[in-house]
Amino acid sequence: MYREIAVFTGNSHRALAEAVCKHLEIPLGNVQVFQFSNEEVFVKYEENIRERDVFIIQPVVSPVNTRLMELLIMIDAAKRASAGRITAVVPYYAYGRSDKKDQPRVPVTARLVANFVEVAGADRVLSMDMHAGQIQGFFNIPLDELTAFPLISDYFSSLHLPAPCVVAPDVGRAKLARDLAERIGADIAIVDKKRDGNKEAAEAMTLIGEAAGKDCLIVDDEVLTGGTVASAVKLLRARGANSVRVACVHPVLAPKAFQVLDTPDLDEIVFTDSLPLVHGEFKSVKSTVLSIAPLIGDAIHRIHTGGSVGALFR
Ligand code: R5P
């Protein structure tokens, strides 16, 4: 067994790391992570981590490449400080959308990032609702993938909506929508979405299923520009939905999302605190944040003690 848990964070999301430590009833570890004037990242652990079970909490948020380098350099520094084991806790795994070679002469960057994390010296990865299941297989080290959808479905069950209908904003999320609909006893509908090449523009073409008179809940892993869900919201309203809500795990939320989603057509947007909101806030639409800190904290505790992580979801 390793010595005691030590949790550290870079500059991605200190509030989440502090909330995880509060749940674990341990102090957040002391580490310096900053950039020199030439933009190079520097890391120094300010406490002894020799043989300790080190967890580095660092979702890869904007500025993505800087936060990724912070994560890699923190792993390297922990390795060289003789940490017993290093777990990269990356609730949001950036570059996850680049998970396959679906056009000629393009990279599979999600795989490249996995290689970086391993080469830096991580022994394990703890992530949440990655964009695609196959990303797990890009790692040759153990990876635990948590899901926040039970949290989201419990929240929606608590609203006691009269005619709930879970909506997949594209066919890729159909299974997720079905699972959630079964969990909360709702109907299901699927949007047929079209994207124009690599442009960040999405169009909801048609709806498979009924929206008239329904309380619709659009579910997605992440929202970036908001184009996918804004287009689905319009379509559902046009088809006579009674209410429309959006839920996502990762609020990547580029500046544009705060414009297109702050609309009276939307009753509520729900997301987790897997990422901080770095590009703005919602002014008129109701936004609800569900914290993943207890889930991450429980998973860390189970990894440290050799308990089952899967049992968290049974
Ligand atoms: C796509 O497959 C994802 O699940 C999301 O729908 C997508 O990343 C959202 O992007 P945007 O908000 O820019 O439409």
Side-chain angles (χ1 to χ4, degrees):
M1 292 300 287
Y2 307 95
R3 281 181 53 208
E4 69 275 22
I5 295 178
V7 176
F8 295 95
T9 189
N11 294 308
S12 290
H13 198 355
R14 193 172 181 87
L16 176 65
E18 283 172 345
V20 168
C21 286
K22 193 171 174 201
H23 184 76
L24 286 166
E25 298 181 347
I26 58 170
L28 180 59
N30 198 1
V31 61
Q32 284 188 54
V33 184
F34 66 87
Q35 281 178 280
F36 287 112
S37 49
N38 62 1
E39 296 182 14
E40 289 179 4
V41 172
F42 181 75
V43 170
K44 182 174 182 207
Y45 288 92
E46 297 286 7
E47 57 192 88
N48 177 19
I49 52 172
R50 204 171 278 272
E51 301 307 325
R52 290 177 73 183
D53 200 4
V54 170
F55 292 83
I56 299 169
I57 301 180
Q58 180 83 343
V60 185
V61 63
S62 173
V64 165
N65 297 326
T66 302
R67 299 299 173 237
L68 178 60
M69 281 309 292
E70 285 183 1
L71 170 67
L72 300 174
I73 295 170
M74 288 180 80
I75 295 170
D76 183 74
K79 193 87 188 165
R80 291 170 196 280
S82 304
R85 179 172 65 175
I86 302 164
T87 302
V89 183
V90 190
Y92 175 67
Y93 186 83
Y95 287 108
R97 300 204 302 185
S98 178
D99 60 345
K100 57 188 162 307
K101 194 162 179 270
D102 54 359
Q103 305 167 39
R105 300 174 296 284
V106 297
V108 181
T109 317
R111 162 78 196 213
L112 181 64
V113 171
N115 290 354
F116 285 165
V117 170
E118 273 188 62
V119 169
D123 297 296
R124 308 184 61 91
V125 174
L126 176 61
S127 191
M128 175 173 276
D129 294 301
M130 300 171 100
H131 184 66
Q134 69 261 26
I135 297 171
Q136 294 175 4
F138 294 171
F139 289 88
N140 293 309
I141 52 176
L143 181 147
D144 292 297
E145 184 179 358
L146 307 176
T147 177
F149 283 107
L151 264 182
I152 289 171
S153 63
D154 287 353
Y155 173 74
F156 281 99
S157 295
S158 75
L159 298 182
H160 302 293
L161 298 168
C165 177
V166 180
V167 180
D170 53 42
V171 287
R173 299 293 146 204
K175 181 177 181 313
L176 167 70
R178 193 182 325 114
D179 291 348
L180 243 79
E182 276 171 15
R183 209 178 152 104
I184 65 179
D187 289 343
I188 176 176
I190 299 167
V191 173
D192 173 29
K193 175 177 93 173
K194 188 177 144 198
R195 271 204 192 276
D196 185 3
N198 291 327
K199 289 186 196 144
E200 286 187 321
E203 194 183 347
M205 305 300 288
T206 189
L207 186 71
I208 304 164
E210 292 293 323
K214 302 275 174 65
D215 297 296
C216 295
L217 166 61
I218 304 166
V219 286
D220 213 342
D221 58 331
E222 66 175 62
V223 174
L224 172 56
T225 64
T228 297
V229 288
S231 172
V233 170
K234 270 196 198 123
L235 180 64
L236 293 167
R237 284 294 181 188
R239 297 292 175 94
N242 178 45
S243 64
V244 183
R245 290 175 172 79
V246 166
C248 73
V249 176
H250 305 298
V252 189
L253 299 176
K256 195 176 166 196
F258 294 96
Q259 296 159 14
V260 297
L261 295 176
D262 231 329
T263 154
D265 280 346
L266 193 56
D267 292 273
E268 184 177 6
I269 176 158
V270 179
F271 45 84
T272 79
D273 57 357
S274 70
L275 296 171
L277 304 192
V278 288
H279 294 301
E281 57 186 40
F282 291 106
K283 296 204 166 55
S284 47
V285 70
K286 180 182 176 197
S287 57
T288 302
V289 183
L290 305 175
S291 183
I292 59 165
L295 186 54
I296 299 270
D298 287 344
I300 287 176
H301 177 74
R302 282 164 187 262
I303 290 168
H304 179 65
T305 56
S308 163
V309 172
L312 285 171
F313 301 100
R314 285 199 285 274

